[in-house]
Every structure is written in C-alpha cells, then in structure tokens.
Amino acid sequence: MLQTEIYGEFETAWCPGCGDHAILKSLKKALATLDIEPHQYVHCSGIGQAAKTPHYLRCNCFNGLHGRSLPPAQAIKLANPNAVVLVSSGDGCSYGEGGNHFLAAIRRNVDITVIVHDNQIYGLTKGQASPTTAEGSKTKSQPWGVTNQPFNPMAVAVAMRANFVARSFSGLMDHLTDMIVQAVRHPGFSLVDVMQPCVSFNKINTFAWYKERCTPIDATHDPSNWEAAMQLASTFGERIPVGVIYKNNRPPLDTMYNTLAAGPLAGRAPNLSAVEKVMHQFR
Amino acid sequence: MLQTEIYGEFETAWCPGCGDHAILKSLKKALATLDIEPHQYVHCSGIGQAAKTPHYLRCNCFNGLHGRSLPPAQAIKLANPNAVVLVSSGDGCSYGEGGNHFLAAIRRNVDITVIVHDNQIYGLTKGQASPTTAEGSKTKSQPWGVTNQPFNPMAVAVAMRANFVARSFSGLMDHLTDMIVQAVRHPGFSLVDVMQPCVSFNKINTFAWYKERCTPIDATHDPSNWEAAMQLASTFGERIPVGVIYKNNRPPLDTMYNTLAAGPLAGRAPNLSAVEKVMHQFR
Amino acid sequence: MQLTTANILIGGEAGQGLATVGHLLTKALVRAGYDVVITQDYQSRIRGGHNTYAVRTAVPGEGPRVAAPSLAVDILVALNQETIDLHAHDVSPNGLVLMGHSMTAQEVKALAVPYKDLIPKPIFENTAALGVLCGLLGVDRAYPEALIAEQFQKKGQEIIDQNLEVLARSIEWVMHQDHGFTPLAPAPARDVHLALTGNEAVALGAMAAGCTFCSYYPMTPATSVPMMLAAHAEAVGMVVEQAEDEIAAVNMVLGASYAGARAMTATSGGGFALMVEGVSLAGITETPLVVFLSQRPGPATGLPTRTEQGDLNLALYAGHGEFPRAIFAPGTIEQCFHLTVRAFNQAEMAQTVVFILSDQFLADSVRNVEPFDLTTLPPQVLPDGSDTQPASYERYAITESGVSPRRLPCMGQSLVVLDSDEHTPDGHITEDLGVRVAMHEKRMRKHQLLREHVLPPDYDGPESPELLLACWGSTLGAVQEAAVQLRQRGTQVGVLHFTQLWPLDSATFLPRLQQAGKVVMVEGNYAGQLANCIRMETGFAVDQRITRYDGLPFSARYILDRL
Amino acid sequence: MQLTTANILIGGEAGQGLATVGHLLTKALVRAGYDVVITQDYQSRIRGGHNTYAVRTAVPGEGPRVAAPSLAVDILVALNQETIDLHAHDVSPNGLVLMGHSMTAQEVKALAVPYKDLIPKPIFENTAALGVLCGLLGVDRAYPEALIAEQFQKKGQEIIDQNLEVLARSIEWVMHQDHGFTPLAPAPARDVHLALTGNEAVALGAMAAGCTFCSYYPMTPATSVPMMLAAHAEAVGMVVEQAEDEIAAVNMVLGASYAGARAMTATSGGGFALMVEGVSLAGITETPLVVFLSQRPGPATGLPTRTEQGDLNLALYAGHGEFPRAIFAPGTIEQCFHLTVRAFNQAEMAQTVVFILSDQFLADSVRNVEPFDLTTLPPQVLPDGSDTQPASYERYAITESGVSPRRLPCMGQSLVVLDSDEHTPDGHITEDLGVRVAMHEKRMRKHQLLREHVLPPDYDGPESPELLLACWGSTLGAVQEAAVQLRQRGTQVGVLHFTQLWPLDSATFLPRLQQAGKVVMVEGNYAGQLANCIRMETGFAVDQRITRYDGLPFSARYILDRL
Ligand SMILES: Cc1ncc(C[n+]2csc(CCOP(=O)(O)OP(=O)(O)O)c2C)c(N)n1
Ligand SMILES: Cc1ncc(C[n+]2csc(CCOP(=O)(O)OP(=O)(O)O)c2C)c(N)n1
Ligand code: SF4
Ligand code: SF4
Ligand SMILES: [Mg+2]
Ligand SMILES: [Mg+2]
C-alpha cells in the first residue's frame, strides 16, 4: 500500500461541496491500495467537471474530447498492455455524447476501469438535463420538465453482460474506494457508476437525497447471477443499491491480440522481412 | 385494407436470395393492412443494403446518412405529428454507427417504427463484422475471428424499457407482417429486429440456420412482464424467440409537446405578438 | 465637467454575483438613456476563478457609439482582493476602486464600501454595490428602484422593501463620500431601448423569422440561444429538443426541415466539427439548414469561455464534396437579429446551409438597441408547398436557377423523395453519370444565386482613404473606434465591415480595397482567414493583418498599437 | 506490325467474375514483362448492375508509361449483352469483341467464344476467357498456367488440371480463329514486377513504416487498406481494430499514438467528416496522426464507388481552430508507398496530423511496379522516449522549432500529460492568456517546419513551356499522356505535378507558373481547389481549369478535348 501523498495535492476548479472532491480522494486511496504509482498508469477523461479529475492528481493524463474518453483509453491499453488505464468522466460525457463508445467498450472488453461521476446533470455547461436526469425535472433546457426516460447505465451494462458492473456514492468514501479497487483488479471492462451531488445545478438529487437511498447490496448477492443482477440493476428510486452488481469473466481483448504478447507497441522496429514476404505475394 | 400494388414494383440492387426481398414484401403487406397510403407516411433510412428499402416502394423518403436514420425520423414526427414514420436500416447502421441514437430514441419515445434488417454483417461494404456478428466468426475485418461480444438489441431495448420490442425473421413473412403492423399501431418507439440472411457475405447465419432456430414466442407470454421479457430477450442461440417480446406504455413525446397540439409545424406564421412580448422583457 | 463616457469593471469569483450587479447596472443605464457595451470575461468553472464584467457606457450622440471594450477603467468594483491586484494598474487617473473593507488598493484612489453597515445580510451585497455605482455615476435612483422591484417580484414585497432600503442607504452613503468622481452627463431623452446580448438577439431573430424547430447539444458560447428558445418555446410555438449529440442535432434539424419546419441548430467549433457530415447532407439533399456557429478559441476544447474568429475556414469548407452555402457574420446586436431572419430566408431560397457566424464576445456582450420593428420584417421565403400533378412531381427537377420546387411530405399527394446518394430528378439513387453531372451543376448554380443576393460589406469613410481598416463580425466596434481616433489625429480612414463572408462578390468591395492607400485586415485569428479568402477570390493581398488569438476581443488600443 | 499497346475492357454484372478474369490477365501481363494500368468502374451493389474492368497494357519503353484509362477499346470482353450495347462504339477500328454465343455485336467485329464446347461447367468461364485473351494478345501460356496453379492451389491438383485443360483448349481455339487481331510485341526482359493497387501500396507503405496500430470504420474506397493490414496484422505485428464509428477510430488512433504506437486511420469523405473534431484534438495535443483519406464523389453518400478529388479543402481546413498539418497526394503506385512512409515520419517530426489524400481511381488501379527496396527506406523519426529528469519533464515545453520532446506514458518515470484544453507547458489546463499565446505560436511554428521539409512538385518539360499542365495526385497519368500527345503535335508542354498540397512553398513552383505561356490546372473537382489554394498563397491565377466531376478518372482525351 502506497501513501496517497505521492499523487499530490492540487487546487481544483470544482465548487465547494461538490461530490467530485470525495471521488478524487477515494480514487487516490484506491490507487494507493492497488500499489499503482503515478507513472504506471494513464488517466483518461473527456470534458466536463468530472473530466477535470486527471488534472488533480499526478498521473499520465489523456484529457481528450467531450464524450470521447473511451476510445483513446482502450487504444492506450491496446498499445501498451503494461499500462493500467482508468477513465473518469461525467454522466453526460459517458452516456450522452459518448453513448456509442459505451456500448462498444462493453462489447470489446478491453481491460480498463471507467468511473462515471453521475450527478444526473450537465455541470460544466450549467445545468441542462443529462441522460440520467430524472423524468419531470425542470432544467434550463427543459423548462417544461424532462420527458425522456432516464438512462439506467447499470441495467444496460448488465443486459450486455459487461465484465464488471458496480455502483457507489461519493458520500460513501470507503465503499467507493473498495469499488474502484475491485474494478481495477477485475480484468476486462469495469464500470463504476458513482452517484455524485452537484450542489450548483442539481437541486433534486442532493447529498441528503442520495444518502437516504444508497443502500449497500446484500452480502448474499452473487454477482455472477445475471437474473439477480438484472433485478438489482433496474432498482433506482426509493432505494439505490450500491456495490458490485454483476461480474462476468470474458477474457480481455488485450490478452487476445497475439501481437500484444510481446508487450508495448512503442519502439518496435518495422518487421521488414515480414513486409518483404507480403510484398512478394503481389508478384 | 389497401392493395399492395399501390406501393409499386421496382427493380432492386439486392442479390437474388437476399432476405431483404421478403422484408420488403412483408412491409408492403403491413402498410396495406394498416391502410397507410404512400403519401401518408415517411420512410427513413441510413446507408447500407437494407437502407435502400425506401427506394423500392412508393413513399415519402428520407434516405439520409449511414447510422443517422433515427434523428431525422424522430424530427419528422415532431415536425408533423400527422405523418406515420417508419425506418428501415441495417444492423450496422442501427446498432453500430447509429448506436447512440438508438439509445436516445428509446428514451425519447417518439412514435416511430424501426425495422432493423439484421443480417449480422456489413453487407454493402462487403463483409466486415457488424455489432451482431457472432463471436468467433472469421470476417474480412477480423480474419482471426470476431472477439467482440455480439450486441443483443432485444436485451438492451428491454433493459431500457422501450415502448415496443419485437423480433421476426424474413423467412416468416406473415409473422413479420404482423410484427410490423403491431409495431406501427403501438404508440411510441417501436423496434422490430428482423433476422435476415445475407447470401453473399454471411455464410454462418444462413436461411436454414435461422429457419431452424426462429421459434414463435409462446402465446402465454405477457409482453408487459418485464422480467419474462428480459429472459426472452436474452435468448439467442439454439433457439431464437420471435414475436412481441416487450411492451411499455409511456406516452409518446410527440403527444407531450404542447406546441404540437396544433398539428404540423409547416406553414405556421411567426407568432409576432408573442415575440413582441418576449422582446419587451429585455427593456 | 461631467463625464460623457465611463468604463466600469466588476471583478470577482464566479458565484459572487458579479454578473448580477453588472446586469442590473446595465439595465439601469440603458433605461436612463445611456449607451452601453458589456464585455464578459469568465473562466470555465462555476465557482471561484477570476471573472470580470465590464460595463462601458456613454452619453448617446457624444462621440461614436461604444461597441468594444476599453482597457482604461474608470470604476473598478472589486469583489475580492485579486481583482485589485490584477486590474488596479488599468484604473485611469481620475478613476476609483470600489472595494470591501478588508482589501487594500495600494497606489490607486479607492473607496472602501462599509458593506457591513449598509446591509443586514451578505446576500444584499449586490444591491449595495448597485446603489453605490448608481450614486457615483449619477443615475437617477428611480431606475435601480424599479429594477429591484421587478427582480424580486416573485420573492414578495418584504424582500423588495429590504432591498430598496439597502439601495437607498448605499446611494446615501456614497453621496456623502469625498470620492471626487464626476458623474455622467445626463442622457438625452429617447424611447426606451432593449438591453440585449448578441445571442439573445439571435434567438429573437429566430423567433421572429418563424423558426419552429431547434435541436442542439449544449456548448458554450452557443447554448444561450437554444436556452432562450426553450424558455419561450410554448409561447411562440416551437419544438426545442436537446439532442444526444451534435450529430443527432444536425440530422434532426434536417428531418424537421424536410418536413417543413423552419429549423436551426446552434453550436460552437467542437460541436460543429461533429456536424460536418450533416452539413454535406444538407448540400446534396438541398434541405434548408440554419447553423448558428458561435466561435471560441480552439483547437479542440481550447479556451471554452473566451472569444476568437478562428472558424471561418471550417464553416466555409465543412462537408465533403462541393455545394453552395452562405455565411453571415453579424457585428452588432441589430445585425444578430436581422441576419438571423435573413439566414432563414436565404436557406429556403437556395435550399442549402446558411451560417450565422458569431463568437463569445458578441454572444455575451449586452448592448442597448431600439426595439426591433416586427411589422417591417421581410416576408418569409417558404417552400413551394403546392400539390398539383402529384404523380409527376420531382423534388430535384433540373432548373435554370438550380432551385427546384420544394414540396413537403405528408402535406398532400405528392411524394417527396430525398436521398443522400446522387439521385435522379425524382430523388432516387442513381449511378447514371450523366445525371450526376446535371445534378451537380444544378446544385452549384445556386452559388451564383446566393452571390446575386449577397450583402455588400458596409463602408464608412472617404472614397480614397489613406488607410482602410477591413474587418468582419464582432470586431466592428473596436475598428470603428480606432478609426475615430485616427481621424482625430488627421488620418483619412475608411472602415469596411463584412457581414457576409460567403459568397464573396468582388464587385462589392474590390474597388474599395484598390482605392485605399493601405489596407489592413483586422481579424480575431492567427492566419487572417478572411484576408486569405479575399486573396483567393480576387488576387488582392492586404498590406497588413492585425490578428488576435489570446481569447480576448479587440479594443481600439490593441489595433492602434499595431498600426 | 505487332501492337505496342492494347486496351482490354471486360464488362458484366457484379458477381460474374469480371474482376477475376481481369486480375489474372493483369498478373499474366505483368509477369510477361508488360506495363499495365487498370481502371475499375463498379456500382454500389454486390450482384448485378454494370461493371467494367479495364486493362490497359503496353510494351515498356515504347512511348510513355501508361498510367491512365483510355477510351478506345481494343478488345471488349462482354460477359453480357449490356456490355456490348454500352461499349461497342468504343471499340477501335482494328478492335474486337469477345462474347458469348447468344449475344450480338451489330457493326463491330466480334468473336463468339463457344464456351459450351470449351468448358465442362459454367464456373470455368473465367479460365476460358483468360485463355482466349492470352492467345489473342500473344502472352506466353506459361504465365497463365502458373497463375492457375497458384490460384487453385488450395483446391487440389484435380481442379488445377481441369483449369489447365480449359486454358489450353481456349488458347488452342483462338489460335485457329480468323480474328485478324495483332498480338502484342514481346516485352523486353526485366526483373519481375509487382502488380499493386494504390491501396495495396499504401498498406505496404504503412507496414514498412512500422505502423503498429490502425483503427478504422469500413468505407469505400478506403477499406481495402485496413483489410490488407488486418490480413497481415499478426505477421507484421500490428493491432488492427474495427471501431464502432469513425469518431472512435480517430480517437483510438490518437490514444495509441500517445502511447507510442505508429498509428493511422483510413476513411473516405463522409467518414472523415466525422473525424474533424479528432483532427483538431491531434492539433492541440500535438499527437502524430496519419489519416489515409480516399476520395469519392460527394456531397454526402454521393457516388460511393466512383472517383473524385473533391476533398482537398476539407482536408486542409478540417478541425476547429488553427494548427499545422501536411497533405500528401500520391499520383503513382510508387508514391502511394513512399509518401505513406513519409507521412508517418512527418507526423512524428511535427507532432500533428498528416494526410495521404488518394481517390477511388488510384485506390483500385492495379499497376506494375518494381518491388520496393526495403533496405533503403528513410530512418524512422521516433518520439524522444528518454526519461532523464522525469520530475521536470514538460510535454509541451516551448521550443524554437515548435516541437517539444515527446515522451511516452508508462515507459519510464516521466509523466506525460495531454490536454484538449489550452494548457501549460506541463500539459495542464490553463486560462492564462499569455500562456495561450505562447502555446498557440509554438504550435503554429511547426507550419514553418513542415514548409521547410515540403516536397517540391515534380516538373517535366522545358524551362519556359508554351503550355504548363499542372495537376495533383492521381490525375498525373492522364496529364502526362496528354502532354506527350501535345508534344507530338509540336507544342512545348510542361507537366507540374504536386505530390504535397500543404504546406505550399511558392518558391518551389511559382517561377514555373510565371515562366509558362499558359497555365492550365487539371483537377477532379468542380471548383479547382488546388488552383484556388495557389491563388490564395501566391496571388497567381491559372489561365484555365480543366475539371471533372462525373465520377470517372481523367483520360488524355478528356484533357485534350478541353484545351
Ligand atoms: C463536442 C462537444 N459538445 C459539447 C461540449 C460542451 N460540454 C462540455 S462539458 C458538457 C457536459 C458535461 O456534463 P457531464 O459529462 O455530466 O459532466 P459534469 O460537468 O456534470 O461533471 C458539455 C455539453 C463540448 N465540450 N464538446
Ligand atoms: C459515415 C459512413 N461510414 C461508413 C460508410 C460505409 N458504409 C456504408 S453501408 C455500411 C455498413 C452497412 O451494414 P448494415 O448497416 O448492416 O447494412 P447492410 O448492408 O448489411 O444491409 C458502411 C460501413 C458510410 N456510408 N458512411
Ligand atoms: S457545477 Fe456541480 S458538478 Fe460542477 S463543480 Fe460545481 S457542484 Fe460539482
Ligand atoms: S450483400 Fe447480402 S445483404 Fe446485400 S443484397 Fe446481397 S445478400 Fe442482401
Ligand atoms: Mg454530469
Ligand atoms: Mg447488415
């Protein structure tokens, strides 16, 4: 176990009271627990409040485009299977703009861990509905109340039999730390959806609102039981189950590319004798 | 019930033996059954073999971009709630390039019917894996065998509680006709995933392969039972259940916009007195 | 002597309410009959950071209409010490710092406002600051009083009264201070003006144009347009739909437009980058599409809350393949309104994509304008919409002008067939290469049509000036002001302002460029994108490019320093 | 007299195997020592429709290297009647139609091949056609024999023997016909050449450059590049990943590149439109990105299987904001290979996006080339990759050249921080506007660097020609051939071929343009996009533009007809 100090302390641009602060702390603890030093991992993100996370700890950072955190994250792992790859991004970034990559990443099953700061709102752009915003909420973009059925990331991930599906809450720091640790340790695509109060724009799903609802999943739950997981995943309301909902054990894609058995792609000299052979097929 | 002749007969660019021919026939029958005349509906599509469908019958047609059939389809309905709106596109178009719109359209629940010609392959571009291609298939793009877990559109649609979720097979023309009729009649977003042999590029999921597996869903199945639907939706292998898997009854978005109570948006004069009022708020 | 102009800079952290103070002061000044131009400079965060809200005001008719920021600050309102540290050196010799008691102003003349004594609770600080400012500037207290009554109307009379009390006390207090600050000269009487940002004027323009459909994905600095449309959607009769991404947004707009809605989307560079394929779809399907594109500094995420004019090339060439388009670039609030109306009509006239190219500075810059006269708007250009001989209707009939009669689906018996592939006149996919040529040339003829309707650039100055300052879009104000100062020094200066950037018709501007002694292009980008376009179209090379790409708008001084 | 050149056009429906016949004939000709250029014209469908495969061949050294299609057909191989109906009028006076027995050739000289007698089963028709063609052209039967043995190797000796039998019988048959067709003169001896399409050469170039990562989404006419990479991925050590869409493809490439892989993507206009935001990300994050962009006619879906050069502007301006880039445009198979190698090195050198701009004609056009000498390739330009003083490492250190040392994440102690926002030298998000200016200027300095390394256009002709034909990319062959014909008529002609379209360094070409009597730009688009760029950069206006936008490649005759 490392000291969390090695990840540094940085001034953030987050509002005081924002759930992101606690997620950052839990993340550092998880990294320390996992013995991952800053130079051993890459932290990817998109754009949004949550997506600023990699700027607030010492790490290799790929802070890309809004909605596009997953494609580079997967490619980094496929280019360097020795790297640990984490992703932090918001609900809008991950399930809105980035929805297609979310589906594809579950299916592709590269060994990365995705932490979604799910504040059920677009924070950085000041309060439009996100895919997880509750039906009926009046927002700047839907002054008449949101009509879209909220996206349930847990239900979709379990329906698609993602390799690791968990939920936590920024107000349960130890729990969250544990979820991240388990997610990183589990091979393949791991998703941790974290309920996160946005004090500035989400006046419905407040800290107290989540606190009241987030209930650790019963220890008897077997995450390999898909039917049970599907039930838990589709529970969101008076009770929000937090914990590991589902686990699958498909081999990660990075272990299936024969090319990657030899390690990182960087610095490989062109295999000219192989190219020569290919060329001669065209004679 | 209309005569199918009113939809015309056109030469197609499809291969002889392609499942698309039967889907087109069933579609015409369904339209005739529904008493929808060519000028009363808009047929949308993306790009692919399936997406050529609207060119092969008399209709209003919006043949847009690959993967982008759903956004215009929804908007057409939101611009003209009197129009019936259908979509025909391939599995690649609908679940690959268009995956994010698929998720959003389910949540938005505009009253449109989406028919996916699911041949488990990219037909028009000559045989790359599609999202629904079976694991292990050797394709031009994955000569080593597909490693991605196939996308199960039924499971995702049911997990997201889409308004109407059904499956059929191009080899069961009456069944398919019935599914389309039911889908169009059901308000909100309706999905019909149609198993369709591609004789040129999918040598695994052939007509016989589907024929052997596609089994009508038991009449006792209650499509409003989500748990049962989830089970059926996740069955794909030795048996492929065909029929109505799930029904929900959220009101369609097009009935919720107050603006649309007055009918189509076309031809409305600007409401200058309202604009005047808005303007005066800035004094 | 009383002041004819003043520049008030309010600085503090996000969340401290500086925009509230600024906005109320702006409204008070506008109602009192002064001209204003607001420049907002904020960081990409919700709380904290350092933001400023600059209110530049002037007595109308005294000198040129203020329309650009100025560096010299007359009153610096410091909501925190950082504001003083950063901006004290910009305070003009007769200027003043307004600050809280715990702050220090070093060399500069400062007035420490005893907020504790003036207000019962911290939440009243904004009202107190407003009072002090109105007192200093000599704005009749009736204006801030009315504003407070409106602002707190929903909160009840008690809250209103408390605020009025604070206001009165603050005005009273500042009257009795020995600050030496000269108030503004009284403004001549005029009918009441609106206080509008560029984006508000665009939204009003869209409503007045009869826009009935908007879909978008939020992105600064464009979002406030769809937010305002959403706020009034039911009242004006509009569908305003937040899309799952920008690709959906533009494709929804095309669907709605096909179905007959006047439709638009709004975005900024990164979001627009995702619409590029959709723009091409508008091109080949000849579907009217209005894109409001509000620029911010790139590449990629860049500086999300700052300004730039770096996306002209992108707007001009977005979309694979070739097809006609028009690009408008408003430079004033009035132009934001009227060019938006025009954009819808041109998009329908040429059945293609039309851009309204703005930027963060203009988007957020409040200015006073006369209320728009909605009774004299140009008539709506509308789709053909007839339904005669439906069996022979061809959506893409080859015509001399390039424009084919556009009917609407499900509005009659005619079938309307739209296709992203190359197509026959009746809209069906074709691989007949002769048809391709005819169809491509038909589409390209609409470029000529758009050119015939092009808005010539506005020119102000002598026929053959020594110096011609050319510019486009939001840089107009700074350029005009620089020109005034140069003229005062005796230079013969002309100002050429492009409000339409494409198509370019050299007949409308080339003689001016050729007649000038020296031509300088002022653009908020690195390359001099319009200067490049002009050279491409005419061969004419400007003598100098004054460019800016630090995220801030031009000021007259920035230009003058570089001439 | 024997022929020194022949043009064979094979026509039929998709699925009839015309590409197989064409391909075997091509290989036989190449092995026999002839030059070839293949032009494929096919429809966007899998079965049916009308497709052609044109094999133009020549004896090397006799006249110019054939590198463009020709309209005059010497042998028309009709797999169906439609082929005769459509192309009979193109058959040259000494030409011949090869057809099945049930077809009619009207006016044109025709040979009805008694397929029924020659072959046991319809599946052998291709072999019979090959035999007849080799017999007519006088290609030594050893070549088709060897090809058949290779082709059917996996199917076993019996199949091989049956095919050889059919081949022999067909050659025999045609020898005894009174067709009057003169065979080709024998080809001089040479080392064996490769028969490669443009796309195959690009894929080989990528492999030889040490590309280790490719992600893409299928799109004609680019797909064959990643398909070929996938086929050999394990052998050469590459990750080739089909992405869910083009947005994912380009963002994956950027991730892989950041992590140290030499990475590329491949797409066509519509797919590239979706990558525009990612291109901008490459710009601000200074991540090497190689984009293979194969053009087809737009807008939107357009003509998916045809050719055009309409996306130069899009490649040049793709991405919001401003940043440097390089654009290469190969005109020959050799250039496809070598410019691809160069693209990877330039992308790393300037840490930005580099395009290889090709088109459907070149993508699918098989030609013979000498095997590439892999031992003399330029050395790989590689990331810094060191790890000294990791604590003070700055990914975006401000340097004079604009290029900062690029280290790789998880390959040492150095932390590599990449950001799509404007950032400090150590990669962290900033809103310091001074830093912005320094960073923006640092990036833009790399434009200068790329300019210093620009490839000058190739010139062939006298110093001051009467006529200068300028062109770029795949139009080279047709332009060269037109020039030869003009020279034969006594005109002094120069050919200027641009293989790099951006940056442009006027010093490398402007004097040539100025010295020519008349300058004509030949481009496969409507606007004359390169001519426009040249005017923008130099002010020089070409005298004439010969453009083409019907989906077909240029031929010499097309150009000559328009001069
Ligand atoms: C292509 C693109 N579209 C839109 C934006 C504007 N944008 C930035 S962050 C954001 C939403 C952020 O919401 P979320 O992902 O939930 O993160 P949060 O701020 O709530 O943590 C949006 C729409 C962008 N940067 N890029
Ligand atoms: C943006 C974009 N990317 C890629 C393509 C190329 N493309 C056309 S159709 C297609 C796949 C078609 O597969 P599917 O949707 O399953 O339809 P099918 O042909 O199998 O019916 C692709 C990749 C395109 N036209 N546009
Ligand atoms: S706006 Fe919301 S999400 Fe963003 S920092 Fe503030 S509290 Fe957190
Ligand atoms: S390629 Fe496949 S999907 Fe396309 S028309 Fe042929 S059989 Fe049908
Ligand atoms: Mg959020
Ligand atoms: Mg398919």
Side-chain angles (χ1 to χ4, degrees), chain C residues 451-462:
Chain C
R451 238 166 84 110
E452 282 160 19
H453 287 79
V454 77
L455 291 176
D458 295 316
Y459 182 71
D460 175 40

Side-chain angles (χ1 to χ4, degrees), chain B residues 55 60-61 64 108 257 283, chain C residues 31 241 244 416 418 420 428:
Chain B
H55 288 288
N60 291 292
C61 158
R108 197 177 274 123
Y257 264 109
R283 289 203 296 193
Chain C
R31 291 193 185 175
E241 183 65 20
E244 55 272 28
V416 187
L418 169 156
S420 73
H428 286 294

Side-chain angles (χ1 to χ4, degrees), chain B residues 20 23 50 89-92 95 115-121 130-133 151-154 167-168 192-198 202 205 210 236:
Chain B
D20 285 337
I23 301 180
S89 249
D91 42 330
Y95 309 136
I115 302 162
V116 178
H117 301 215
D118 187 352
N119 55 11
Q120 305 188 248
I121 201 78
S130 91
T132 54
T133 302
F151 183 71
N152 182 333
M154 302 289 96
R167 176 163 257 166
S168 190
V192 184
D193 185 85
V194 188
M195 311 293 6
Q196 170 234 328
C198 165
N202 190 334
N205 312 104
Y210 288 124
F236 189 96

Side-chain angles (χ1 to χ4, degrees), chain C residues 157-344:
Chain C
Q157 193 58 41
E158 196 181 335
I159 303 281
I160 294 178
D161 289 343
Q162 286 177 331
N163 274 283
L164 288 176
E165 169 79 32
V166 168
L167 186 81
R169 222 181 294 147
S170 308
I171 297 176
E172 219 55 49
W173 174 81
V174 78
M175 299 293 240
H176 293 91
Q177 301 306 307
D178 178 22
H179 49 65
F181 190 85
T182 345
L184 285 169
R190 72 171 175 208
D191 283 346
V192 68
H193 275 197
L194 312 176
L196 277 182
T197 65
N199 276 8
E200 286 160 350
V202 167
L204 276 177
M207 294 177 199
C211 172
T212 47
F213 190 96
C214 172
S215 75
Y216 67 96
Y217 187 82
M219 189 159 192
T220 311
T223 320
S224 52
V225 167
M227 294 304 92
M228 176 158 156
L229 295 179
H232 304 290
E234 295 201 5
V236 299
M238 198 183 294
V239 168
V240 182
E241 183 65 20
Q242 182 178 339
E244 55 272 28
D245 56 32
E246 287 85 352
I247 303 173
V250 69
N251 280 283
M252 289 184 99
V253 167
L254 290 174
S257 182
Y258 162 77
R262 299 203 119 192
M264 80 181 292
T265 188
T267 187
S268 185
F272 178 67
L274 293 165
M275 296 185 179
V276 168
E277 195 192 13
V279 168
S280 185
L281 181 62
I284 201 163
T285 63
E286 308 193 40
T287 307
L289 167 64
V290 174
V291 177
F292 173 64
L293 177 52
S294 190
Q295 300 163 99
R296 66 190 216 189
T301 313
L303 291 168
T305 59
R306 300 317 213 287
T307 201
E308 193 167 279
Q309 296 184 302
D311 293 334
L312 166 55
N313 279 333
L314 181 62
L316 185 49
Y317 296 111
H320 50 299
E322 297 167 289
F323 50 94
R325 71 192 73 207
I327 304 175
F328 294 110
T332 65
I333 305 298
E334 289 83 351
Q335 288 170 355
C336 283
F337 178 85
H338 290 294
L339 291 179
T340 299
V341 175
R342 188 172 179 85
F344 282 93

